[in-house]
């Protein structure tokens, strides 16, 4: 316990609908181990934040040129990192259910595996992630009490907790995902994950 | 000549008003040498492209949260790359004159040094770059016929050439700066410069 307590911590703010969060999700466990940094998992909803900017969808949908580019970039980035990729036929996908379940697991040993599995559904298998059957199957495959967790995930208190987490993201100035916080400093985007980890390991 | 002709080429589309173009500008000569890649210099105006999206300024100005972040990111990125940095008190700066001069030099031996000097004025010294005296001074310091070049830069044909180059950027789907093209593939952002150079050196 004391070894973990003395490790620096990186907060990982992620969204299951976000393709660049997918890249970080598939890389972060190994990197955190390499850098000897602890991960604080922070699932949140990007939609309300985009809405606060007056955007009705992702900038990758609203900005045609950027959208065309992003899917080419994803092919190259996934190849670079050796991560499977299948362009989602629906983007951005409704991620509320999966985020609610993730929020229950942030301090549980299954969170990393659950996160990766949800991301793979969306970005490697082109499947819906707002489907109770699919999410319950992931939980069961992890040896968990799926029915009980689904009930908890859909409870009013947990729904409120995800809204509160999203408000916290907004209050912190988060404007996209993934975002990382280390010692109060924000780092935005998968391209800054290594920088954030370096910063975490620097002495004050 | 034949050695250069056989080198792969990277097109570097840059804007003197763009802070992330600054990072690439200060790094690209050494990197191009390391990767043995030829640079095709492509100065262009980002303003008309932003206007075509309905934006009256940079997204770093229009989007408050992103703007706050970007200047923190620049401090960290400049530290990482060991590049001098002074936050410009005016952003984005009017870059038309400097871009017009750069366009005259794209095939000249002085283009790299000129580009870096203009970028340093803006992002290391917090000085205007639309100032004829300052730009002429850079040209003179490079041993060039400043008066003649300034006259050429302000000629109707050169003004038209910069507009044409900017239209070409738009036609290619460029939506930000810096952007790189290698073998017809676009790479966006200073964070993709190394990827673009790797791609340039890969065999088909």
């Amino acid at each position: 316990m004391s070894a973990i307590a003395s490790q620096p911590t990186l907060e990982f703010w992620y969204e299951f609908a976000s393709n660049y969060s997918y890249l970080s999700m598939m890389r972060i466990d190994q990197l955190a181990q390499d850098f000897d940094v602890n991960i604080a998992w922070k699932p949140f909803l990007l939609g309300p934040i985009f809405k606060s900017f007056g955007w009705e969808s992702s900038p990758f949908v609203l900005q045609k040129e950027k959208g065309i580019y992003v899917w080419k970039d994803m092919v190259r980035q996934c190849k670079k990192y050796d991560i499977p990729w299948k362009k989602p036929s629906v983007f951005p996908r409704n991620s509320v259910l999966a985020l609610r379940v993730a929020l229950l697991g942030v301090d549980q040993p299954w969170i990393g595996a659950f996160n990766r599995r949800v991301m793979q559904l969306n970005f490697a298998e082109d499947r819906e992630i707002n489907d109770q059957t699919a999410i319950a199957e992931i939980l069961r495959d992890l040896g968990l009490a799926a029915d009980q967790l689904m009930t908890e995930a859909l409870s009013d208190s947990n729904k409120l907790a995800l809204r509160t987490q999203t408000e916290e993201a907004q209050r912190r100035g988060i404007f996209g995902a993934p975002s990382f916080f280390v010692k109060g400093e924000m780092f935005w985007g998968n391209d800054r994950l290594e920088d954030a980890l370096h910063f975490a390991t620097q002495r004050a």
Side-chain angles (χ1 to χ4, degrees), chain A residues 128-147:
Chain A
E128 287 303 324
I129 55 174
N130 211 40
D131 177 65
Q132 290 206 27
T133 310
I135 298 298
E137 194 184 314
I138 294 176
L139 294 171
R140 260 190 300 273
D141 286 350
L142 293 169
L144 302 168
D147 293 347

Side-chain angles (χ1 to χ4, degrees), chain A residues 49-65:
Chain A
I49 291 177
F50 284 167
K51 281 215 175 73
S52 78
F53 301 150
W55 304 346
E56 285 305 311
S57 184
S58 159
F60 305 162
V61 173
L62 300 177
Q63 242 186 290
K64 183 177 147 255
E65 291 79 3

Side-chain angles (χ1 to χ4, degrees), chain A residues 8-185:
Chain A
T9 294
L10 173 138
E11 288 184 7
F12 176 23
W13 292 77
Y14 61 94
E15 230 288 7
F16 288 125
S18 148
N19 53 293
Y20 289 111
S21 293
Y22 169 58
L23 296 181
S24 290
M25 188 63 79
M26 302 308 281
R27 304 193 309 120
I28 200 165
D29 277 273
Q30 186 60 54
L31 284 169
Q33 205 175 309
D34 296 346
F35 280 84
D36 205 19
V37 166
N38 189 38
I39 305 168
W41 304 95
K42 300 285 185 181
F44 77 107
L45 278 164
L46 201 45
I49 291 177
F50 284 167
K51 281 215 175 73
S52 78
F53 301 150
W55 304 346
E56 285 305 311
S57 184
S58 159
F60 305 162
V61 173
L62 300 177
Q63 242 186 290
K64 183 177 147 255
E65 291 79 3
K66 187 177 268 188
I68 291 169
Y69 172 77
V70 159
W71 304 122
K72 292 182 182 174
D73 188 50
M74 284 302 294
V75 171
R76 293 193 299 239
Q77 295 299 302
C78 285
K79 196 175 163 190
K80 180 169 80 174
Y81 295 128
D82 197 20
I83 293 170
W85 170 250
K86 189 172 177 183
K87 183 178 181 291
S89 53
V90 178
F91 181 86
R93 284 214 156 95
N94 184 329
S95 55
V96 179
L97 173 66
L99 287 167
R100 283 175 178 158
V101 174
L103 195 59
L104 292 177
V106 290
D107 294 321
Q108 303 301 322
W110 51 266
I111 184 67
F114 175 81
N115 285 334
R116 285 191 297 278
R117 195 68 197 95
V118 172
M119 285 296 202
Q120 283 168 328
L121 275 194
N122 193 359
F123 296 108
E125 299 170 24
D126 188 21
R127 287 173 56 195
E128 287 303 324
I129 55 174
N130 211 40
D131 177 65
Q132 290 206 27
T133 310
I135 298 298
E137 194 184 314
I138 294 176
L139 294 171
R140 260 190 300 273
D141 286 350
L142 293 169
L144 302 168
D147 293 347
Q148 190 193 323
L149 282 166
M150 292 301 273
T151 304
E152 278 181 55
L154 297 171
S155 69
D156 284 348
S157 65
N158 192 56
K159 288 177 177 175
L160 177 63
L162 185 60
R163 279 200 296 276
T164 304
Q165 177 107 315
T166 299
E167 285 161 13
E168 171 71 6
Q170 201 160 5
R171 202 187 57 73
R172 298 263 210 112
I174 286 177
F175 55 86
S179 292
F180 310 100
F181 276 86
V182 175
K183 304 173 200 167
E185 292 289 313

